[in-house]
Amino acid sequence: MNNFDKIVYDKIKSFFLLFYNNLNNSNAVVVGLTFDFNNKNKLYTIDDNYKIIKDNIQNPLSGYSISDLIVYDNKVFEYNESFNLIISEAFNNCNLYGIPLYIPDTNKKINKALFLDRDGVLMEDVGYIGEVDRVKIKNDFLGIVKHANEKNYITIVTTNQAGVSYNYYTNDDVKNVHNYLYEEYKKHDAIIDDFYYCPYHIKGNVEEYKLLSVLRKPEAAMHLTACKKYNIDLTSSFMIGDRDSDIIKIPFLKTLLIKTDVYDIVNTDNIVEVNDIYSFLV
């Protein structure tokens, strides 16, 4: 592990210990959480305060599994199965907390990422968009994406697309819109490296997509999936959105929100002016 890798790892461990201490609960246990489409391990869900509220999730699209780190008795350990009894007792006593986590692989290049919401950020939010001719590019973000490229950020779109579950449009329609976005940004030398979207919603009309999924923002599964593909250091990364649901349940991922006419933001401390985003991307 080189010095940079150690700094990243120590920052994550320090955050976990700080989170534990802020709970002011000596019986608390804090674990790292990961996501896998094919997960066969025990699955959990968390509330908005990162307390684990369910440990009986069956669908791998709907839960996280435990991995990497555990804080117990005011110490940070690398997780292994010997801690499972402690974890089980903490859950039964409502003292178990989970933080979605990716620790970069030190044997590969470690990247930083700029995660971007789609509707309201890269393009105007005009409702459910399944047709290319309804896409209206936001010119402000052409420069931001290009600047992020120049500063060596991986640029990744993460977007909720419940319109698939409502049967307003198809997965192919979403991909067509993303291809169009990519090409339009590319014309301005602004490269979007990848697109992730969540087609699931519990109130949907298409049975295949009618479920609660941790892929849906503010849950973290889209971001964890991208982290594994691109080996991302989340502590050096940013999420840009236009609504509170863009504050992802990864508390050490910094979130910047921009105001639009469509949505009133509750978490006003996260609001920035569009031009100020450049100063964050160093």
Side-chain angles (χ1 to χ4, degrees), residues 38-95:
N38 301 306
N39 209 325
K40 293 180 172 58
N41 297 319
K42 195 175 183 68
L43 297 172
Y44 303 82
T45 55
I46 53 177
D47 66 13
D48 291 341
N49 297 310
Y50 300 95
K51 178 174 280 191
I52 291 180
I53 52 175
K54 290 184 179 180
D55 70 344
N56 59 350
I57 306 301
Q58 300 300 312
N59 191 325
L61 295 172
S62 300
Y64 304 101
S65 59
I66 292 173
S67 77
D68 292 321
L69 296 181
I70 176 171
V71 185
Y72 168 68
D73 195 23
N74 204 31
K75 300 181 183 68
V76 183
F77 302 92
E78 292 187 9
Y79 166 76
N80 61 64
E81 291 183 357
S82 68
F83 289 103
N84 285 351
L85 179 59
I86 292 168
I87 290 170
S88 179
E89 289 177 349
F91 175 79
N92 291 336
N93 291 312
C94 299
N95 289 319

Side-chain angles (χ1 to χ4, degrees), residues 35 45 54 57 59-63 198 200-204 208-216 219:
F35 172 81
T45 55
K54 290 184 179 180
I57 306 301
N59 191 325
L61 295 172
S62 300
C198 175
Y200 303 101
H201 198 289
I202 191 60
K203 296 181 180 179
E208 180 182 359
Y209 300 109
K210 187 177 181 179
L211 60 93
L212 287 170
S213 174
V214 292
L215 288 162
R216 182 173 172 79
E219 298 292 346

Side-chain angles (χ1 to χ4, degrees), residues 170-267:
T170 67
N171 286 303
D172 285 342
D173 293 329
V174 175
K175 293 171 184 176
N176 287 339
V177 168
H178 290 170
N179 288 337
Y180 177 78
L181 261 181
Y182 174 84
E183 293 297 336
E184 289 300 301
Y185 271 75
K186 185 180 178 182
K187 289 176 183 176
H188 297 269
D189 298 319
I191 302 301
I192 301 170
D193 291 296
D194 216 339
F195 292 82
Y196 291 82
Y197 71 96
C198 175
Y200 303 101
H201 198 289
I202 191 60
K203 296 181 180 179
N205 302 317
V206 180
E207 196 63 31
E208 180 182 359
Y209 300 109
K210 187 177 181 179
L211 60 93
L212 287 170
S213 174
V214 292
L215 288 162
R216 182 173 172 79
K217 295 184 297 184
E219 298 292 346
M222 282 194 289
H223 297 74
L224 295 180
T225 302
C227 284
K228 291 176 183 178
K229 180 175 180 179
Y230 293 101
N231 202 37
I232 292 168
D233 167 22
L234 287 164
T235 68
S236 298
S237 299
F238 292 89
M239 174 71 201
I240 299 179
D242 67 320
R243 56 184 63 196
D244 295 290
S245 59
D246 290 316
I247 301 176
I248 308 304
K249 289 183 179 178
I250 303 175
F252 43 85
L253 171 63
K254 294 172 283 293
T255 304
L256 310 175
L257 300 179
I258 59 169
K259 291 192 293 186
T260 68
D261 295 332
V262 177
Y263 185 82
D264 291 327
I265 296 169
V266 174
N267 293 278

